[in-house]
């Protein structure tokens, strides 16, 4: 099983904003977290409506499909989201995973 901790992945995604470096040293990760919406609007009552407002968007930056079966996202509280067997992320495509 491949593990993609949310905090580490977020830091990796933010690394893209670093100053430009020579092309041979600037290889981007194949999968990037492009958006994290961790705090849904309104009161956080731990209801489904509140949890449904939280999500992560992941982008495949390659020209080949990537099989995300078994990949996981985990936040600092220990909540873990595991991608199912049917998630094939096509070339240059994005997928959004909600907390439910």
């Amino acid at each position: 099983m491949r593990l993609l901790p949310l905090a580490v992945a977020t830091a990796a995604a933010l690394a893209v904003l670093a100053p430009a470096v020579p092309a041979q040293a600037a290889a981007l990760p194949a999968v990037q977290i492009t958006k994290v919406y961790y705090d849904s609007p309104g009161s956080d009552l731990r209801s489904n409506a509140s949890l449904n407002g939280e999500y992560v968007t992941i982008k495949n930056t390659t020209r080949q499909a990537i099989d995300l079966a078994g990949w996981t996202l985990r936040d600092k509280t220990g909540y873990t989201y595991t991608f199912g067997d049917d998630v094939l992320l096509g070339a240059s495509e994005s997928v959004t995973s909600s907390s439910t």
Side-chain angles (χ1 to χ4, degrees), residues 20-61:
V21 293
Q24 64 273 19
L28 295 176
V31 177
Q32 295 179 356
I33 293 180
T34 57
K35 186 166 187 172
V36 177
Y37 196 78
Y38 62 89
D39 191 16
S40 62
S43 299
D44 188 358
L45 303 174
R46 302 299 295 168
S47 67
N48 282 341
S50 178
L51 290 174
N52 287 342
E54 300 174 356
Y55 61 89
V56 175
T57 301
I58 299 170
K59 181 174 178 70
N60 175 358
T61 64

Side-chain angles (χ1 to χ4, degrees), residues 79-99:
Y79 178 82
T80 302
Y81 176 87
T82 303
F83 287 93
D85 293 335
D86 59 344
V87 182
L88 186 64
L89 190 56
S92 301
E93 289 184 354
S94 295
V95 65
T96 298
S97 64
S98 65
S99 58

